[in-house]
Amino acid sequence: MEEAKETSKSALKKAEKQAKMATAKANKAAKQTSLPVVGGKKADDIIGITVSKTENFSQWYQEVVLKAELIEYYTEISGFFIMRPATMHIWNVIRKWFQEKIETLGVEETNFPMFLSSKSLEKEKDHVEGFAPELAWVTKAGDKDLEVPVAVRPTSEAVMYPYYSKWIRSHRDLPLRLNQWNSVVRWEAKQTTPFLRAREFLWQEGHTAHLTEALAGEEVLQILEFYAGVYEELLAVPVVRGRKTEAEKFAGGYYTTTVEGYIPSNGRGIQGATSHCLGQNFSKMFDITVEDPSDRGKHINVWQNSWGLSTRVIGVMVMIHGDDKGLVLPPRIAKIQAILIPVGLTAKMTAEEKENHLKQVDDLFAVLKKGGIRTDVDTREGYTPAWKFNDWELKGVPLRLEFGPKDAAKEVVSYARRDTGEKGTIPISELTTKAAELLETIQKDLYNKADAAYKAHRIQITNWDEVVPALDAKNVVIIPSCLVPECEDKIKELTKGHSDETADTPEGQKAPSMGMKSLCIPFEQPEGLVKGETKCLNPECERLAEEWCMFGRSY
Amino acid sequence: MEEAKETSKSALKKAEKQAKMATAKANKAAKQTSLPVVGGKKADDIIGITVSKTENFSQWYQEVVLKAELIEYYTEISGFFIMRPATMHIWNVIRKWFQEKIETLGVEETNFPMFLSSKSLEKEKDHVEGFAPELAWVTKAGDKDLEVPVAVRPTSEAVMYPYYSKWIRSHRDLPLRLNQWNSVVRWEAKQTTPFLRAREFLWQEGHTAHLTEALAGEEVLQILEFYAGVYEELLAVPVVRGRKTEAEKFAGGYYTTTVEGYIPSNGRGIQGATSHCLGQNFSKMFDITVEDPSDRGKHINVWQNSWGLSTRVIGVMVMIHGDDKGLVLPPRIAKIQAILIPVGLTAKMTAEEKENHLKQVDDLFAVLKKGGIRTDVDTREGYTPAWKFNDWELKGVPLRLEFGPKDAAKEVVSYARRDTGEKGTIPISELTTKAAELLETIQKDLYNKADAAYKAHRIQITNWDEVVPALDAKNVVIIPSCLVPECEDKIKELTKGHSDETADTPEGQKAPSMGMKSLCIPFEQPEGLVKGETKCLNPECERLAEEWCMFGRSY
């Protein structure tokens, strides 16, 4: 569940206006970029990313996702984005990986309708309250009003659970584990941002039912570990595993587990993906019961989970790894892992010499492909090598391979790493093994760099006065907390607009810096909190601390 | 594009009422079925399909899709269906197969928003007229009215093409080939039927742009051949390839090609999947142009195609292969190709003997799995072998393998084919090779049987008086036609309600038999039509025939 919504009309209008301005700006920039000059003369003057990641992070992000051709703004309706092939490739890698994982748990695929009746939605009170402000309502079909309006699903608990009640008749039907890959609509009043907050997004949603709390709880953690795997193993993004506080848990659920990421550029926390135990709340409302196998005649409500991972993961990855040249892709999810570019073809060379050289390039390309490296070769005419370098750097290809007559003479291929810029040569005889090693090194280095940044900016604090300075220094903080929702509200208020009055928001406007909210109660608890003794760190709170809780400014 | 719609309020109400009645009936039947009696005593009294395919085809179909657990009726909102795991498995096999095919053509994946602005929709006049009556309109978000209502996509031409205009800047950007897998909403006023006609359905939609008509036309046919492959190679369903007449082509398109199927049980034709050439209609409206590479300075509008294949294919497969015992699945798309069932375990056997026997069953199971046969083993307790046989027959598993002490003594496994009921034994030493052969034979035999039925009921007619009797004898007819839309309207009228006044409709009600409509102009044209001489077969038409055209009563 997202935080409370600013649903006032003025906020909506403002957000839409800002989005339009950002779009117009970005589109204009894109228009300039994607018109390479043909003929070789002026091809070097590519307009790449026009701002630095450090100086204007939000504009940098908008330019990267647009110019690297990950997304396109859907200008017809604000808050929606088009996922381009570069994005769909990454999403499909994640989908395949995660699908294989959940199949090992016996999860099956299903597809429920996208519409929801208000009757079903209203069954769980907290759930409907959580989602009602964002529901898109279909009220007309053709030119006729519907007798009963229907909502587009914001999530499918209320769509699916009436059927769980029908399908689950005996404890032998448990566990029931279904997952669907679809899109959901949450008509956010807040500012939207590509991948991170959109009015429609792609995700998977798993919905399972179990006989006992223990069995449900076991699965919640198995799924959370898969989510951590998507970030850590595929996207090279470190996450902190933990539990959401009551204030931040899923609307209508029992408890929520989460993987939380961190964006070094602005010091914000970001929710990565959540795996919820719904407890018996929904099964009571939707009447999902089985006969207790150990006590004939007694009916018990099943224990349910739901869990979801969305295209948000891609936005987190872009924000963490990208640089001033554009996107930086971890090799495991890159469609093109290595780009091979012929260089050093001078005007002095004869046509035959050029042809021979390009023949060698083709041979290298074939060797790389055969060796399992996802390679493309750039033999486009009318572009200088330098222009091509920029173009592929912008698009984040992890490894550039150059091959010119001088390389040919030495029987090597020159390379440049996208992440570090490091250059070197590889003997042709070892091309695929060395390239594969380099790719694996890049994958690991990207993770390690991000992990080091996260670790350095996750600060344990026991003195309230250090909190805001720590936030301003782009940290998230781990503090002793009573975990009570009202206390969290107070903490948010106390940390709002304190110092850096013109902090850079993700939307590119200047605004008072935001208050911090709780991100998670990390499973790995630091030492030093004495139950019944340590106080909640909030100076206006009288309660004792229950656990260390991670707070931060956040998306 | 579907045929003209009955959009009157009374038709809508009637349809909804019928759907509810059918659902209630089917649900009741399902409730009875899915409560197996435990304990072994009464387990044989399974209630399978309660009507015969021949006597009440429409009820038979509804029971099969429900009881074989392909779909569930979404009773919350009429006209929607839940796709259960058995369906999603088939759809995923098709998706993977088709995806690999289009990747060889260089088609990339994309994902556009599900909503459409009326501004974009209205750009192509015929297109908006074709889809407007079925559009679902979102008019509210939360409790606020939207300033401008948005429609849920019924197809994505008008969603995507504004961006084709932006992305296509030069002939070097062509061909642009994008495909997306999603669901679309067409709020049908007509009676809905699982898979065949639903208000939301899963499909893929490809949208491509080309420099010339010839290049576009080449792709149209490549895709059509892939669609034929889905039917013929995966689903064992024969189809006729052809072109739609003007009256039946896609709204706003240039020409439509199609694969047309045939349902022997009621003699109806059914549109299988369509591949459209849109010509330059949309590119003119959406301003998608490039500079002519052979005539600098001259701008030409690109040639566009769109093509789609939906979950309808699964309904066609069910209707063609199923029988009175339930579903019959072609092995290539069956999740479980072979079900292994231990038999002959009598009360006289010792516990050790039983255990030994089940150990052997487990070994056979391991051998089959290792041999690449998608096998499951049914060792459920409390069910008789006969009950299990019925259960797996209902679900359409192509091959049943039985293993009892007598089989063990002879070192064989007994088998029964789902399609023919044929029984036999396989030596254990040859288990996987023979099982694989049997599965391949089943696949081929299913196709051949359906193909023979289609061929026998595709009748070439040159005498008008033979038309209606041929339709009543469950044929589709191939007749000389002028191909003019008004003539088709007349033909529909002339063939309506002629003889069999209580024909069985797909919705289970009795109604006058429907008129025939044109299905396609087959690419394989029979001999005997002399241009400028042969008359259109419609007795009230004065025009000359242009081509042989296939007509039939249809879905």
Side-chain angles (χ1 to χ4, degrees), chain B residues 101-108 177:
Chain B
K101 295 288 179 192
I102 59 177
E103 278 175 14
T104 65
L105 298 185
V107 177
E108 293 191 295
R177 311 196 205 220

Side-chain angles (χ1 to χ4, degrees), chain B residues 288-361:
Chain B
I288 314 173
T289 63
V290 296
E291 198 177 51
D292 189 340
S294 58
D295 184 2
R296 272 298 182 79
K298 186 188 157 205
H299 276 71
I300 49 176
N301 287 97
V302 303
W303 289 80
Q304 288 179 275
N305 297 334
S306 73
W307 26 272
L309 175 105
S310 79
T311 36
R312 154 174 285 207
V313 297
I314 298 170
V316 177
M317 180 271 289
V318 172
M319 286 187 163
I320 288 179
H321 301 310
D323 65 20
D324 287 354
K325 292 178 175 176
L327 189 62
V328 176
L329 290 173
R332 287 190 200 150
I333 53 96
K335 185 175 186 181
I336 304 175
Q337 296 177 310
I339 183 70
L340 177 61
I341 304 175
V343 298
L345 297 173
T346 61
K348 288 182 195 163
M349 288 168 78
T350 67
E352 200 191 339
E353 282 170 333
K354 280 185 188 169
E355 198 177 311
N356 275 340
H357 187 75
L358 289 176
K359 170 76 178 61
Q360 286 181 74
V361 170

Side-chain angles (χ1 to χ4, degrees), chain B residues 28-67:
Chain B
K28 198 177 158 197
K31 204 142 195 165
Q32 289 165 341
T33 318
S34 51
L35 276 173
V37 178
V38 185
K41 284 276 196 306
K42 292 188 64 191
D44 283 340
D45 59 359
I46 185 174
I47 296 169
I49 307 301
T50 64
V51 291
S52 110
K53 189 181 183 185
T54 326
E55 285 167 18
N56 190 342
F57 181 62
S58 62
Q59 196 188 328
W60 171 88
Y61 178 71
Q62 290 188 352
E63 286 193 22
V64 169
V65 295
L66 197 65
K67 294 185 180 183

Side-chain angles (χ1 to χ4, degrees), chain A residues 27 72 74-76 83 92 108-111 114-115 135 137 139-140 142 163 166-167 200 335, chain B residues 27 72 74-76 83 85 92 108-111 114-115 135 137 139-140 142 163 166-167 200 335:
Chain A
N27 279 347
E72 179 75 71
Y74 190 57
T75 49
E76 270 65 17
M83 305 282 170
N92 284 332
E108 293 191 294
E109 192 166 335
T110 186
N111 190 75
M114 70 159 78
F115 296 119
L135 290 178
W137 288 98
T139 62
K140 266 177 68 178
Y163 299 89
K166 180 176 177 192
W167 296 334
E200 179 187 5
K335 186 173 185 181
Chain B
N27 279 346
E72 181 76 73
Y74 190 56
T75 50
E76 270 64 16
M83 305 281 168
N92 285 332
E108 293 191 295
E109 192 166 335
T110 187
N111 190 75
M114 70 161 77
F115 296 119
L135 291 178
W137 288 97
T139 61
K140 267 177 67 178
Y163 299 89
K166 181 176 176 193
W167 296 333
E200 180 188 4
K335 185 175 186 181

Side-chain angles (χ1 to χ4, degrees), chain A residues 245 479-488 491 535-538 541-547 549 551:
Chain A
T245 60
I479 59 173
S481 166
C482 67
L483 307 178
V484 172
E486 295 74 40
C487 178
E488 283 189 41
I491 285 176
K535 271 205 68 249
C536 177
L537 197 67
N538 174 1
C541 175
E542 297 296 317
R543 284 172 289 262
L544 290 165
E546 288 295 323
E547 294 192 80
C549 186
F551 279 78

Side-chain angles (χ1 to χ4, degrees), chain A residues 329-332 334 336-338 368 372-375 397-400 417 419 432-446:
Chain A
L329 290 174
R332 286 189 201 151
I336 302 175
Q337 297 177 310
L368 286 159
I373 315 281
R374 295 192 294 273
T375 313
V397 173
L399 189 61
R400 181 174 78 230
R417 280 174 60 166
D419 60 333
T432 53
T433 45
K434 290 290 176 194
E437 280 172 29
L438 269 171
L439 291 170
E440 208 39 44
T441 304
I442 293 169
Q443 180 84 28
K444 283 198 186 112
D445 287 356
L446 283 172

